[in-house]
Amino acid sequence: MSERIFLASTNEGKRAEFAALLAEHGIELGPSIPYPEVEEDADDYLGNAALKAAALREELLRRGTPATLFADDSGLEIDALAGAPGVRSARYGGLDLAWPQRRAHLLAALSDVPGRRRTARFFCALLAIDEGGRRFEGFGATRGSIALVERGTAGFGYDPLFLPEGETRTFAEMSAAEKARSSHRARALRALVEAMRR
Ligand code: IMP
């Protein structure tokens, strides 16, 4: 596979994580390419990743610079909420909420749920398209639970609330390298790179 890959995302937290993870596989993350925004309204993660990947591919073709690219979609699934917010994680509580408010909204939804029933998982789906239009997929999950209060300042999104299984620290209390060891994104990327190199 090519040694450089473009990512259909402008989320700086994700881009930074993917850049570090790709480097471990000897692959460089290409610069951020703006592409027309797509509504992520598919029913599942892979569907949303496909929408983003197709939009970036179209933009690269329009520029006359076809290249290997990938897109991700991820979410937090909480057992006590029947898997919510899931594929709607980025919009949970309303599109216009800032992250501290969104996390507060989630804690409020779980206010009656005791620690042992706050189990959850992060899930990540990746879809890559190479220059020739071939598609590859990779999936990864990380089990854990939702903390009673938020802790830590690293990472992004729901990181201050997520305690990976067997850990006493949230993702936001870990270094990027520590998070990468058990993150859903790292696992999905490993699977994707394996599929592309097969
Ligand atoms: P999307 O994949 O960009 O559609 O968004 C998924 C949502 O889940 C985003 O709002 C993320 O902030 C959140 N999310 C996904 N992965 C992580 C993570 O590793 N840490 C914290 N939040 C995450």
Side-chain angles (χ1 to χ4, degrees):
M1 73 181 273
S2 84
E3 293 312 293
R4 188 157 87 141
I5 191 165
F6 289 84
L7 171 62
S9 175
T10 51
N11 175 326
E12 282 310 318
K14 275 188 190 175
R15 290 189 63 83
E17 279 190 24
F18 274 126
L21 293 169
L22 283 164
E24 286 178 25
H25 295 283
I27 303 166
E28 183 195 342
L29 179 67
S32 179
I33 306 284
Y35 60 90
E37 203 171 314
V38 291
E39 197 172 343
E40 297 177 32
D41 57 1
D43 293 337
D44 58 21
Y45 300 103
L46 195 61
N48 278 334
L51 289 171
K52 290 182 258 189
L56 176 57
R57 179 166 163 83
E58 208 166 293
E59 176 63 23
L60 288 170
L61 291 175
R62 194 188 64 77
R63 292 176 181 213
T65 55
T68 301
L69 61 93
F70 75 115
D72 87 312
D73 199 55
S74 50
L76 178 61
E77 301 174 347
I78 299 173
D79 297 325
L81 301 179
V87 75
R88 302 197 69 256
S89 292
R91 292 159 282 170
Y92 184 62
L95 259 183
D96 49 344
L97 286 192
W99 272 99
Q101 294 169 288
R102 201 182 310 284
R103 290 192 295 266
H105 184 76
L106 182 59
L107 283 177
L110 293 174
S111 61
D112 291 339
V113 182
R116 68 192 149 71
R117 288 190 45 234
R118 295 168 80 96
T119 49
R121 71 169 189 171
F122 266 127
F123 188 83
C124 176
L126 300 179
L127 179 87
I129 309 178
D130 72 9
E131 273 187 55
R134 284 184 305 166
R135 290 168 170 249
F136 305 89
E137 298 168 5
F139 302 94
T142 299
R143 287 212 62 84
S145 62
I146 304 301
L148 294 171
V149 291
E150 64 172 73
R151 299 198 320 250
T153 53
F156 64 97
Y158 296 102
D159 278 346
L161 293 179
F162 189 77
L163 288 158
E165 220 165 49
E167 257 291 342
T168 53
R169 294 170 304 165
T170 67
F171 266 165
E173 293 177 299
M174 297 180 182
S175 68
E178 285 173 318
K179 178 180 174 185
R181 239 172 266 143
S182 63
S183 90
H184 50 307
R185 198 163 291 107
R187 288 172 177 160
L189 188 66
R190 207 171 301 134
L192 180 72
V193 171
E194 270 171 26
M196 295 181 84
R197 287 183 169 159
R198 212 168 278 147

